[in-house]
């Protein structure tokens, strides 16, 4: 099954480009560490999922590029073409001349309706090119105007036009200390709208990735390209072909569907966090070895203690003793820092994956009581190594990972809203105070739901 | 890609404008080696086929035939505009872009606004329409003028009004040169306050500039060059005040150095809209992020570095110094100290070899020493443009919406009241058709209201922060 990627705004397009680069370089790599047959199967599955082939044999990404101003898209298209390994379809992009000005209302209420037909037309064409459509993957930031506002509108259109398809929104959480002054407004409006149309929101926080670049990857002068490459690696580690839980030798035919099934049992809980280990500088890779028990132990503690990366984990945090967690209580007995999960998915890639013991992730005390632990936890594996890492483990988690950031963004936005600052910029384009209030209400509800897990 | 049109009004406006076009050409020449008319060029220039007179291999990928500035030059006396038309930039402008008269406005806002405004209205509208028609997607008008005189101040604000009526969707950014205390034009307080009312009501963003600050910066640079104590030489073309490498390398006029600073301000402001970068900042984003309430749209600007030393290696300490300087009092383009006043919002537009980690590190470093308003504690807007200005490897433009503009406005009001109480020179204004005493009282009241808005914000500075309580959801 194929996935159609929709890249929205500057951030979406810059990240999308890095993702396809990463996928391509992974399948061309000779560090598969598995049998030739396995490798071939992997390559074929990846290609079907993300690319179609031109006559010349060059893979063409199944993607639609959308932006309201032309600079980024033209850069993205030319960088891809120059790589020689893959490219974008020259027709599959839509841009205008003047951007959205960081204004969510401009993106949603003005650009959205105005360009709906053209954009959906491009999406339809990519969808028709797929033998079997597995769903949509949109990449956007919350802070700006196009990715956030137009992105929310496009997601709604996707839902209307493809009611049976899966939609996964990849959302970039901006740096806490401002990239855009009205980013909290834009974020609140985006999240509340996406919550209605999307199946799940997969979140990456700039602050977290920045720390990974600084502390784990040892990059001195971190550029957005560095940040985007780490994000691309993490996304690749989730979306590259993998054998689903039931075993069998076939790669999963329905990646997005499988993801939703395992992680989103209830529509009120759609926020997914992503962790990937190990992350080390590329030139250290040949000299480093990892053991699965070590990796799994770290990953589990990262989950429990809500650690952002494998350094600086708080090992003091422990799951609550059995018998102390009751479903609808306000969890006063649970240790405050403990991260309760609804569902978790671990993806293992590389050497000796089938021998790995993941029992520690099935501990019922990690989860709410709604699902049986064997349903709340899933593991997917492939012996095919990913992106030169001999062993790589990813965790996609529907848990309280994003509770604090969400609460923080809503708090700051509310603080600003109380003073009515910048509101005139939004009402100018048709987003009124009631719309803000609706969004705040939706998100307070989400916060409350996640808090009382 | 969008286009912008520059409307330069009055002597000051045209002299600054002239420097802007000169330096813009220099900047594009440095980047555009192949002589192709590209999108970046088209934001301020048209490509005209001189034989047919119409737009040539206009768009992109065609070779440059003849570049015409997207500008309107307006002056009610001929001296300055004539000089431009006889100078090396003459080919950039054609007669269809000029509006001149002979006798000037006599430093009288009323003459500029009411008399000439009325007289030239149709002419101006027609020429504006023509310029707009040559634009694919017109985003912004830049008005350059001074506040203290008659033409720039009066006719300039008349044009501002006109732009709002005729092109309501297009942004209006105004660069206003405010008079200093020892201004030799006696009526400059009247002219300025009358103009302020117009700026309050019709501009999207105003970038005030004071001659005193420009003068101080020029002096600072001259001292540095003449002292020679650092032992290294300064790259001549990197001076924020220099015209080196531009078309006009002859006789530098006395105000040229100061005007170059303002020209560089405009170039840096629009750099991210013209050139690529990892985090673009377009003009509409500036207005969106820096104007929390419609009337509070006065932005204090600062440019760093003022010069680059000739040695190539730039350790990150020097980079950090650039950020610190942007917040220091002597780099601001008006006599103000933003560090000790209250920030409503702040934008940092970085050009050249600077990455997001440098930005973040410096924001973290400088934040504790700055006061931000309670509802915008993290109020930073950032932009990264890959193309540095000529002669530099990196540069920073800081735009602050800060209550430090208040003293400038209060002083202006005081100078106004000093004259107004004695009714000095009032008759020169009132004898103009359409001018009444109420124009004065309304103008000063508009200014007072503005000052009051800043006062209310200042009061909250340093006070205890009580965040509003959040919405309660029924569980």
């Amino acid at each position: 099954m194929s996935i159609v990627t929709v890249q929205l705004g500057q951030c979406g397009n810059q990240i999308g480009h890095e993702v396809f680069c990463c996928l391509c370089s992974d399948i061309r790599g000779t560090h598969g560490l598995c049998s030739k047959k396995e490798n071939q199967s992997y390559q074929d599955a990846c290609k079907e999922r993300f690319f179609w082939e031109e006559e010349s044999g060059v893979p063409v990404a199944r993607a639609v590029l959308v932006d309201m101003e032309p600079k980024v898209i033209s850069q993205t298209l030319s960088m891809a073409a120059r790589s020689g390994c893959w490219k974008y379809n020259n027709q599959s992009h839509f841009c205008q001349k003047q951007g959205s000005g960081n204004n969510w209302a401009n993106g949603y209420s003005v650009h959205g309706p105005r360009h709906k037909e053209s954009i959906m037309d491009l999406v339809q064409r990519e969808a028709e090119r797929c033998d079997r459509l597995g769903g949509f993957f949109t990449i956007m930031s919350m802070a700006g105007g196009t990715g956030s506002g137009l992105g929310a509108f496009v997601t709604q259109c996707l839902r209307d036009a493809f009611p049976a398809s899966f939609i996964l929104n990849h959302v970039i959480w901006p740096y806490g200390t401002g990239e855009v002054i009205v980013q909290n407004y834009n974020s609140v409006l985006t999240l509340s709208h996406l919550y209605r149309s999307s199946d799940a929101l997969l979140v990456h926080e700039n602050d977290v990735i920045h720390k990974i670049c600084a502390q784990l990857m040892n990059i001195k002068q971190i550029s957005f390209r560095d940040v985007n490459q780490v994000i691309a690696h993490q996304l690749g580690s989730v979306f590259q072909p993998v054998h689903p839980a039931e075993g069998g030798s076939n790669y999963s035919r329905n990646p997005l569907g499988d993801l939703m099934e395992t992680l989103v049992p209830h529509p009120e809980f759609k926020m997914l966090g992503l962790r990937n280990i190990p992350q080390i500088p590329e030139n250290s890779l040949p000299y480093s070895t990892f053991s699965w028990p070590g990796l799994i132990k770290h990953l589990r503690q990262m989950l429990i203690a809500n650690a952002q990366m494998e350094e600086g984990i708080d090992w003091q945090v422990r799951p609550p003793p059995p018998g102390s967690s009751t479903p609808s209580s306000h969890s006063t007995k649970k240790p405050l820092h403990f991260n309760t999960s609804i569902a978790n998915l671990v993806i293992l890639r590389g050497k000796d994956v089938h021998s790995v013991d993941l029992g520690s992730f099935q501990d019922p005390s990690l989860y709410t009581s709604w699902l049986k632990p064997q349903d709340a936890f899933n593991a997917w594996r492939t012996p095919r190594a990913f992106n030169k890492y001999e062993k790589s483990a990813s965790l996609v988690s529907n848990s309280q990972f994003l509770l604090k950031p969400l609460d923080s963004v809503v708090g700051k936005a509310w603080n600003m809203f109380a003073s009515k600052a910048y509101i005139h910029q939004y009402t100018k384009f048709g987003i009124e105070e009631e719309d803000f209030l609706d969004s705040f209400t939706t998100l307070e509800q989400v916060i409350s739901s996640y808090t009382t897990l | 890609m969008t286009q912008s049109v520059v409307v330069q009004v009055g002597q000051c406006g045209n002299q600054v404008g002239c420097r802007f076009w000169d330096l813009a050409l220099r900047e594009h020449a440095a980047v555009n080696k192949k002589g192709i008319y590209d999108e970046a060029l088209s934001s301020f220039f048209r490509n005209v086929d001189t034989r047919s007179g119409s737009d040539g291999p206009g768009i992109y990928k065609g070779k440059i035939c003849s570049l015409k500035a997207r500008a309107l030059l307006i002056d009610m006396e001929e001296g300055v505009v004539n000089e431009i038309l006889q100078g090396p930039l003459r080919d950039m402008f054609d007669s269809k872009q000029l509006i001149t008269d002979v006798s000037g406005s006599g430093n009288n806002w009323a003459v500029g606004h009411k008399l000439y405004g009325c007289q030239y209205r149709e002419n101006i509208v027609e020429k504006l329409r023509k310029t707009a028609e040559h634009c694919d997607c017109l985003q912004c008008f830049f008005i350059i003028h001074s506040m203290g005189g008659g033409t720039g101040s009066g006719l300039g604000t008349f044009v501002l009004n006109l732009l709002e009526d005729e092109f309501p969707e297009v942004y209006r950014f105004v660069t206003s040169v405010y008079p200093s205390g020892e201004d030799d034009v006696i009526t400059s307080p009247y002219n300025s306050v009358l103009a302020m009312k117009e700026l309050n009501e019709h501009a999207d963003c105003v970038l005030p500039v004071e001659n005193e600050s420009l003068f101080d910066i020029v002096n600072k640079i001259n001292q540095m060059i003449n002292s020679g104590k650092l032992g290294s030489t300064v790259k001549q073309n990197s001076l924020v005040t220099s015209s080196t490498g531009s078309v006009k390398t002859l006789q530098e006029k006395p105000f040229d150095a100061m005007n170059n600073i303002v020209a560089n301000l405009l170039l840096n402001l629009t750099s991210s809209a013209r050139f690529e970068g990892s985090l673009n900042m377009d003009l509409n984003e500036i207005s969106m992020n820096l104007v929390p309430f419609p009337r509070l749209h006065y932005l204090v600007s600062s440019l760093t570095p003022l010069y680059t030393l000739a040695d190539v290696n730039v350790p990150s300490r020097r980079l950090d110094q650039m950020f610190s300087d942007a917040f220091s009092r002597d780099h601001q383009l008006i006599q103000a100290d933003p560090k000790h006043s209250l920030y409503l919002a702040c934008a940092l537009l970085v050009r050249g070899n600077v990455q997001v980690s440098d930005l973040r590190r410096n924001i973290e470093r400088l934040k504790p020493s700055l006061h931000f308003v309670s509802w915008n504690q993290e109020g930073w807007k950032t932009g990264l443009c890959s193309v540095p200005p000529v002669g530099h490897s990196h540069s920073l433009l800081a735009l602050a919406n800060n209550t430090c503009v208040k003293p400038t406005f209060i002083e202006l009001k005081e100078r106004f009241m000093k004259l107004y109480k004695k009714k000095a020179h009032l008759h020169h204004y009132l004898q103009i058709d359409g001018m009444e005493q109420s124009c004065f009282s309304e103008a000063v009241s508009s200014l007072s209201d503005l000052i009051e808005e800043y006062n209310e914000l200042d009061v909250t500075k340093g006070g205890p922060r009580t965040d509003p309580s959040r919405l309660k959801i029924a569980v």
Side-chain angles (χ1 to χ4, degrees), chain B residues 96-291:
Chain B
K96 299 197 270 303
Q97 296 169 268
L98 314 171
I99 298 177
T100 55
D101 202 312
V102 256
S103 33
S105 304
N107 286 326
N108 186 328
W109 184 93
V111 171
H113 195 100
K114 304 278 184 190
L115 191 70
Y116 284 123
C118 204
Q119 194 175 330
Y120 282 98
R121 185 180 214 282
E122 264 181 56
N123 194 347
I124 296 175
V125 173
E126 198 204 305
K127 297 201 164 145
L128 283 171
R129 291 224 160 277
K130 261 269 146 38
T131 349
E133 270 162 37
H134 288 301
C135 296
D136 219 353
C137 179
L138 178 60
Q139 184 182 44
C140 184
F141 283 108
F142 284 98
I143 298 182
I144 314 179
H145 72 149
S146 73
M147 301 281 278
T151 303
S153 175
L155 189 54
T157 49
F158 178 81
V159 173
L160 179 63
N161 244 305
L162 210 81
L163 290 175
E164 189 175 15
D165 289 336
E166 301 287 322
F167 305 90
E169 310 276 301
V170 182
Y171 286 91
R172 295 172 291 284
F173 275 60
V174 187
T175 308
S176 306
V177 181
Y178 279 67
S180 62
E182 310 91 44
D183 200 274
D184 49 1
V185 176
I186 302 182
T187 49
S188 67
Y190 282 161
N191 297 329
S192 304
V193 174
L194 288 163
M196 275 290 289
K197 172 163 178 293
E198 306 298 317
L199 292 182
N200 280 342
E201 291 172 17
H202 305 292
D204 285 312
C205 264
V206 178
L207 300 158
V209 173
E210 279 182 281
N211 273 343
E212 274 173 75
S213 303
L214 298 179
F215 192 64
D216 288 341
I217 291 177
V218 172
N219 273 344
K220 195 169 151 156
I221 293 179
N222 285 337
Q223 263 176 10
M224 213 253 42
I225 295 178
N226 296 333
S227 73
K229 63 179 169 178
L230 288 172
S232 355
T233 47
V234 168
K235 277 161 113 175
Q236 274 303 306
N237 63 355
S238 74
L239 294 176
V240 76
T241 51
S242 98
S243 312
T244 312
S246 64
V247 178
K248 176 179 183 183
T249 43
L250 309 166
Q251 296 277 335
E252 277 210 15
K253 311 245 297 328
F255 279 104
D256 272 358
M258 289 162 61
N259 292 340
N260 280 333
I261 299 176
V262 185
N264 274 313
L265 164 66
L266 288 174
L267 282 178
N268 284 336
L269 190 67
T270 54
S271 61
S272 190
R274 290 175 289 137
F275 302 115
E276 51 165 42
S278 61
L279 188 59
N280 296 333
M281 181 153 104
D282 208 347
L283 293 166
N284 49 8
E285 294 176 25
I286 293 176
S287 156
M288 173 70 182
N289 283 284
L290 293 172
V291 183

Side-chain angles (χ1 to χ4, degrees), chain B residues 13 50 57 99 170 246 273 359 400 417 431 462:
Chain B
T50 39
I99 298 177
V170 182
S246 64
L359 255 183
M417 292 311 289
Q431 74 192 15

Side-chain angles (χ1 to χ4, degrees), chain A residues 41-278:
Chain A
S41 188
Y42 184 85
Q43 285 180 348
D44 291 340
C46 170
K47 278 201 198 140
E48 194 210 348
R49 207 175 273 189
F50 294 106
F51 301 91
W52 54 273
E53 241 174 56
E54 252 198 351
E55 275 155 29
S56 56
V58 176
V60 183
R62 297 185 191 275
V64 177
L65 293 74
V66 180
D67 200 359
M68 289 297 103
E69 61 106 11
K71 292 198 296 284
V72 182
I73 287 190
S74 66
Q75 241 199 320
T76 309
L77 288 174
S78 66
M79 279 202 297
R82 272 203 306 261
S83 73
C85 320
W86 67 279
K87 60 195 274 254
Y88 285 107
N89 180 358
N90 283 329
Q91 265 78 53
S92 291
H93 66 267
F94 178 80
C95 66
Q96 288 294 282
K97 305 203 180 76
Q98 188 173 172
S100 302
N102 288 166
N103 191 323
W104 193 93
N106 196 3
Y108 186 84
S109 308
V110 177
H111 290 304
R114 199 181 285 173
H115 307 299
K116 175 177 172 175
E117 252 189 75
S118 313
I119 298 175
M120 290 311 287
D121 195 49
L122 291 177
V123 172
Q124 187 71 38
R125 283 206 229 137
E126 279 302 329
E128 279 166 15
R129 224 196 291 271
C130 305
D131 274 342
R132 280 164 63 208
L133 178 64
F136 298 96
F137 178 59
T138 74
I139 313 180
M140 65 229 282
S141 83
M142 296 198 303
T146 300
S148 70
L150 181 61
F153 186 83
V154 167
T155 306
Q156 229 167 273
C157 295
L158 287 174
R159 175 54 69 215
D160 292 335
F162 301 89
S165 292
F166 293 105
I167 302 177
L168 177 66
N169 289 84
H170 179 235
V171 179
I172 297 298
W173 214 270
Y175 287 100
T177 42
E179 293 170 25
V180 170
I181 294 176
V182 289
Q183 64 187 43
N184 298 312
Y185 279 165
N186 293 337
S187 303
V188 165
L189 291 164
T190 306
L191 290 170
S192 60
H193 278 78
L194 286 182
Y195 232 77
R196 291 173 217 157
S197 351
S198 169
D199 287 307
L201 282 69
L202 183 61
V203 174
H204 265 116
E205 297 166 75
N206 271 351
D207 279 308
V208 172
I209 306 296
H210 192 103
K211 262 202 231 152
I212 292 179
C213 285
Q215 295 178 245
L216 299 181
M217 314 289 279
N218 280 330
I219 303 175
K220 293 278 176 285
Q221 206 191 13
I222 301 169
S223 65
F224 269 116
R225 185 129 191 265
D226 298 315
V227 172
N228 293 343
Q229 284 177 336
V230 172
I231 293 176
H233 170 87
Q234 296 204 346
L235 288 175
S237 76
V238 173
F239 289 115
Q240 282 292 51
V242 111
H243 298 294
E246 314 88 65
S249 56
N250 287 325
Y251 281 112
S252 158
R253 299 305 308 280
N254 189 7
L256 287 184
D258 291 340
L259 204 73
M260 303 308 175
E261 212 189 332
T262 52
L263 290 170
V264 189
H266 189 289
E268 183 68 14
F269 300 89
K270 288 181 179 170
M271 315 259 332
L272 306 178
L274 174 53
R275 300 283 185 266
N276 169 268
I277 59 172

